[in-house]
Amino acid sequence: MSVFRGPDRIRRVACLGTGLIGGGFIALFLSRGLDVFVWDPAPDAKDRLNQLLTTAWPTLERLGARAEDRGTLSWAKTAAEAVAAADFVQESAPDRLELKRSLYDEIEPLVPADAVIASSTSGITIADLQAGRTQSPRVVIGHPFNPPYLIPLVEIAGAPYTSGEALAAADAFYQSVGKVVIRMDHEIPGFIANHLQAALEREAMHLVAEGHATPQQVDAAVVHGLAPRWTAIGPCMVRNMGNLAGIRPYFERFHLGSEPLLSHLQPAEFTPELIQAMEEGCRAMASGRDNAALAAARDRMVIETLLAQRRAGLSTHGI
Ligand SMILES: NC(=O)c1ccc[n+]([C@@H]2O[C@H](COP(=O)([O-])OP(=O)(O)OC[C@H]3O[C@@H](n4cnc5c(N)ncnc54)[C@H](O)[C@@H]3O)[C@@H](O)[C@H]2O)c1
């Protein structure tokens, strides 16, 4: 039996940092009937979280959450109080190394010994987080996608000294709340999905910077060309299905990676002209809608996509 608590022994989750990501996790955990203890030092944190929960709840209901199953939300006065009796900790503080280090210095001795501590961090590795201090085997990366109450993926990773049992416990816990988990053998900055996203963004910026496409055309190519297929299969299987004989002929005939006309390996220079073109294009696509309205429209579409994946038997997520 694992030394770390599995989903059957996780009732109370501590969430440190209640911003975009922490708040999204809180919404998800509450919808799954968990009791959530939160802490955030910002004076306006409560108002921001309440607003986020109000936005997230109809989305979660649409995906099957029920008000009568909702867990309780409690605000702690300190990080120490939030974690003292936690069965699992999700840390979503700002991505600043020194800030996170001092938070871990404070909480680690207080978190119950058999609880896993997961960091939402996008840009800091566990090895960096714990460099020069006692290396805890139970601190793992639990990297979500925004908004965490809606997008299924969580990437899990750790340093060489991270406990396999801690990673397995985090994996089981996230799956129990409906997530699709990618467990990486080792951590690299950006994990997997952000690497892919960065490559696409780099190409998008080049197309705009060189005047080949407007931001509207770039986004239309993704939304109406690439994305519908990607809700069923990823780029590897797309390539595999691009030829009746499978993926081998692709390597024999094409040299996409060495084709400078199709792929840039360096980011475009952020010139004033590029920034202006991006700003004008995005403003035109927003057509007067603020970010909340845009997020609501995005969420409606993502919900329908998740439901369609579920109906088509294409998904392993439980959202
Ligand atoms: N924004 C994204 O798309 C995204 C995606 C995946 C992961 N992440 C990661 O999630 C984490 C949080 O990012 P975010 O986008 O929610 O940022 P955010 O700025 O929206 O939220 C951060 C919250 O942490 C609070 N905070 C400040 N100091 C703190 C402290 N010492 N302890 C605890 N909380 C503190 C802030 O008041 C704020 O409410 C980061 O590590 C980030 O890399 C972000």
Side-chain angles (χ1 to χ4, degrees):
M1 205 176 97
S2 170
V3 294
F4 296 106
R5 296 181 198 202
D8 52 327
R9 293 172 58 223
I10 297 178
R11 281 284 328 137
R12 177 170 168 151
V13 181
C15 289
L16 306 175
T18 62
L20 201 59
I21 295 302
F25 265 126
I26 293 164
L28 174 72
F29 296 149
L30 289 172
S31 77
R32 295 288 167 150
L34 295 164
D35 295 327
V36 187
F37 281 69
V38 305
W39 180 73
D40 190 301
D44 63 342
K46 268 188 195 169
D47 287 345
R48 282 192 281 120
L49 179 62
N50 286 341
Q51 207 174 338
L52 190 152
L53 293 177
T54 306
T55 307
W57 190 253
T59 296
L60 286 158
E61 279 189 322
R62 178 83 180 85
L63 291 166
R66 298 182 325 163
E68 57 270 36
D69 297 333
R70 188 166 165 157
T72 59
L73 173 69
S74 311
W75 280 88
K77 290 194 184 63
T78 59
E81 186 191 330
V83 301
D87 302 316
F88 188 92
V89 176
Q90 185 75 43
E91 171 273 306
S92 309
D95 232 18
R96 298 209 300 273
L97 186 56
E98 288 315 316
L99 181 151
K100 287 209 201 258
R101 276 190 179 152
S102 72
L103 182 61
Y104 280 78
D105 283 341
E106 182 187 350
I107 60 154
E108 266 190 64
L110 305 170
V111 177
D114 56 357
V116 169
I117 305 171
S119 176
S120 298
T121 180
S122 300
I124 299 172
T125 59
I126 295 295
D128 284 342
L129 193 60
Q130 302 204 313
R133 58 200 297 276
T134 312
Q135 296 168 338
S136 166
R138 61 169 168 161
V139 179
V140 306
I141 300 282
H143 178 245
F145 266 72
N146 187 41
Y149 60 84
L150 184 57
I151 304 294
L153 184 63
V154 173
E155 293 162 318
I156 296 184
Y161 49 80
T162 305
S163 155
E165 287 192 339
L167 292 164
D171 188 335
F173 170 62
Y174 288 128
Q175 286 196 49
S176 77
V177 293
K179 293 295 198 188
V180 173
V181 176
I182 296 180
R183 201 158 134 196
M184 297 179 71
D185 289 339
H186 53 265
E187 52 182 0
I188 51 167
F191 315 109
I192 297 174
N194 273 344
H195 268 265
L196 299 171
Q197 182 165 270
L200 193 64
E201 279 176 10
R202 186 188 63 227
E203 299 308 324
M205 299 285 176
H206 270 289
L207 287 167
V208 175
E210 286 156 27
H212 299 311
T214 62
Q216 294 93 315
Q217 288 171 325
V218 167
D219 279 21
V222 173
V223 171
H224 304 295
L226 298 169
R229 210 161 52 178
W230 282 348
T231 62
I233 50 173
C236 302
M237 283 305 285
V238 164
R239 193 50 68 205
N240 184 68
M241 292 165 71
N243 189 298
L244 286 178
I247 198 163
R248 184 166 288 275
Y250 163 78
F251 293 105
E252 287 161 0
R253 279 191 223 149
F254 300 108
H255 302 278
L256 194 58
S258 59
E259 175 51 88
L261 291 178
L262 284 187
S263 179
H264 298 81
L265 288 175
Q266 298 301 321
E269 194 187 337
F270 290 175
T271 61
E273 293 76 23
L274 171 61
I275 295 169
Q276 191 179 339
M278 292 298 295
E279 199 172 41
E280 281 172 9
C282 290
R283 196 180 303 125
M285 286 189 274
S287 342
R289 292 168 295 172
D290 64 11
N291 266 348
L294 290 168
R298 175 202 63 195
D299 286 7
R300 278 199 301 279
M301 193 60 212
V302 175
I303 291 167
E304 293 308 320
T305 304
L306 295 178
L307 293 172
Q309 286 177 326
R310 195 193 281 174
R311 281 194 300 275
L314 284 171
S315 173
T316 50
H317 59 73
I319 286 183

